[in-house]
Amino acid sequence: MTRWDAVRVRQGLVDSCSSAEQAGDQALRKGKPREARRHYERMLAESIRLAEQFPDLSTRRDLSLSFNKYGDFWVGADRLDQAAQAYEEGLAIATRLREENPDDSRLLRDLRFGEFKLGEIALRTGGPAAQGTARDRFTTALSLAEHVVEADPLDTADRRELGIVLERLGLLATERQDLDEAARWYARALAVRRELATELPGDPQARRDLAVQFERLGDLALRRRDLEAARAHYDESLSLRRALLGDDPRDLSTQRDLSVLCERLGDVALLTDGPEQARQWYDDSFAILDAAYGPKHPETRTLRKKLRSHPLTPN
């Protein structure tokens, strides 16, 4: 094979991988998971061929990313065992590449991604053993995320990923009932997310992340029966969510988040201010969800059922 023949073969495989991935993404958007799976498996097969025929850093890294993409598909299909296998393959390739190319910061990001995704799967799996695995994965992801940020402190995307890992470690500590440790992780995550929201005032994602962090802190304070702190954190989150909804009043996700916060504030009010204040929050929570999703939506029905079990119910 001449040099130019090799170039054409390589480019053909690259184009085939890209078109298969795009077709898979399009099939998912159309709600056709079986079709998407076929395309992603073709993407993976072509990526393997490419890396075998032209085994350089670029093609092998692309193969690692293809395994990660395939893992994302299985997460969306709620097949965590299949997702874990794909992420493990991607992580193994990235690990070998990092050993061969220690100065390539992209590989640090790839390793962080793989460790974090496997931690997420372990967290969702549940059980003491899975929690231990999740903690190990998240701890490794944290070390990698810190190294990436140290290398480029101005990269906001990397700092956001650092905040996400810190938040997950706090969530995991909360599930283990280690509330003091959770508070430490959440405090570190809050500092990262507050900085980003300050630096990026026009970025909805930065404000959304900060709102999530305040909500986590509110949940933690409620579990510790620090009701005033819980109210303060929920109020901060509520203010951020309302501002986000003002930017996009049709955002169903933000409306749902607002409903949840109103419900939590109702729980706090029930313990501090009495039933009348709680009723107002519960009414607001139900009204937001009902308007966003309709009375027959599963989430609306779940909230209605929960509120009926309360001493108070919406009007």
Side-chain angles (χ1 to χ4, degrees):
M1 183 184 295
T2 68
R3 177 187 173 192
W4 298 114
D5 287 338
V7 168
R8 285 194 292 272
V9 170
R10 177 174 179 143
Q11 188 59 52
L13 288 170
V14 169
D15 292 344
S16 181
C17 290
S18 178
S19 65
E21 181 178 0
Q22 292 173 10
D25 292 346
Q26 186 176 22
L28 273 188
R29 286 193 294 270
K30 292 181 177 179
K32 299 178 178 179
R34 291 184 180 178
E35 180 181 333
R37 177 183 173 180
R38 290 195 298 272
H39 290 306
Y40 289 139
E41 288 179 348
R42 181 165 64 89
M43 168 200 71
L44 193 56
E46 296 289 66
S47 294
I48 292 171
R49 287 180 57 198
L50 182 61
E52 287 176 345
Q53 292 188 39
F54 306 94
D56 55 26
L57 171 60
S58 176
T59 60
R60 292 161 66 199
R61 180 169 183 260
D62 285 346
L63 177 57
S64 174
L65 299 179
S66 292
F67 274 114
N68 290 339
K69 183 80 173 187
Y70 195 46
D72 290 343
F73 166 76
W74 285 118
V75 168
D78 203 28
R79 288 289 302 277
L80 301 186
D81 53 342
Q82 298 279 64
Q85 290 178 21
Y87 289 139
E88 289 277 12
E89 292 280 1
L91 182 60
I93 296 169
T95 300
R96 290 193 294 271
L97 289 174
R98 175 66 181 173
E99 291 169 355
E100 298 168 11
N101 304 272
D103 297 326
D104 193 326
S105 60
R106 296 175 303 167
L107 299 173
L108 272 181
R109 294 183 177 92
D110 296 344
L111 291 173
R112 177 196 63 196
F113 177 91
E115 293 287 354
F116 179 80
K117 286 294 187 178
L118 288 166
E120 289 270 86
I121 289 174
L123 184 61
R124 288 178 60 178
T125 301
Q131 284 197 350
T133 299
R135 187 177 189 181
D136 291 343
R137 293 291 189 182
F138 287 145
T139 300
T140 302
L142 175 62
S143 177
L144 292 163
E146 288 173 334
H147 278 96
V148 170
V149 171
E150 286 171 8
D152 186 1
L154 299 181
D155 191 303
T156 56
D158 288 333
R159 288 158 63 198
R160 178 175 184 267
E161 293 297 328
L162 174 60
I164 291 173
V165 177
L166 290 166
E167 186 265 341
R168 290 301 193 279
L169 281 163
L171 183 61
L172 186 60
T174 302
E175 292 196 0
R176 294 198 317 271
Q177 304 297 322
D178 192 340
L179 302 187
D180 290 338
E181 181 183 334
R184 291 192 293 271
W185 289 123
Y186 284 157
R188 290 181 61 184
L190 178 65
V192 171
R193 289 175 163 181
R194 198 195 293 273
E195 280 185 1
L196 286 172
T198 300
E199 293 174 21
L200 305 168
D203 184 348
Q205 187 61 61
R207 288 183 288 155
R208 190 173 293 110
D209 289 344
L210 184 57
V212 167
Q213 199 55 60
F214 276 120
E215 184 178 340
R216 293 279 191 244
L217 285 163
D219 293 343
L220 181 63
L222 187 57
R223 293 185 70 157
R224 300 171 96 170
R225 284 298 184 263
D226 187 349
L227 300 178
E228 289 308 312
R231 191 201 306 272
H233 292 314
Y234 287 145
D235 280 341
E236 291 275 11
S237 185
L238 188 70
S239 176
L240 288 161
R241 302 278 194 197
R242 282 175 170 163
L244 286 167
L245 192 62
D247 294 341
D248 185 1
R250 294 174 295 180
D251 187 337
L252 293 179
S253 177
T254 299
Q255 292 181 59
R256 179 186 177 278
D257 293 337
L258 273 175
S259 174
V260 170
L261 282 168
C262 289
E263 183 186 349
R264 302 275 174 80
L265 282 162
D267 293 341
V268 173
L270 193 61
L271 296 169
T272 56
D273 302 324
E276 289 305 315
Q277 289 294 324
R279 177 186 295 278
Q280 293 179 25
W281 285 115
Y282 291 147
D283 283 352
D284 287 347
S285 175
F286 188 82
I288 292 169
L289 201 59
D290 188 28
Y293 290 96
K296 295 184 179 180
H297 191 276
E299 293 204 38
T300 310
R301 289 177 172 176
T302 298
L303 180 57
R304 185 194 301 274
K305 183 177 179 180
K306 177 179 178 180
L307 296 183
R308 280 175 176 166
S309 70
H310 267 292
L312 299 168
T313 57
N315 291 330

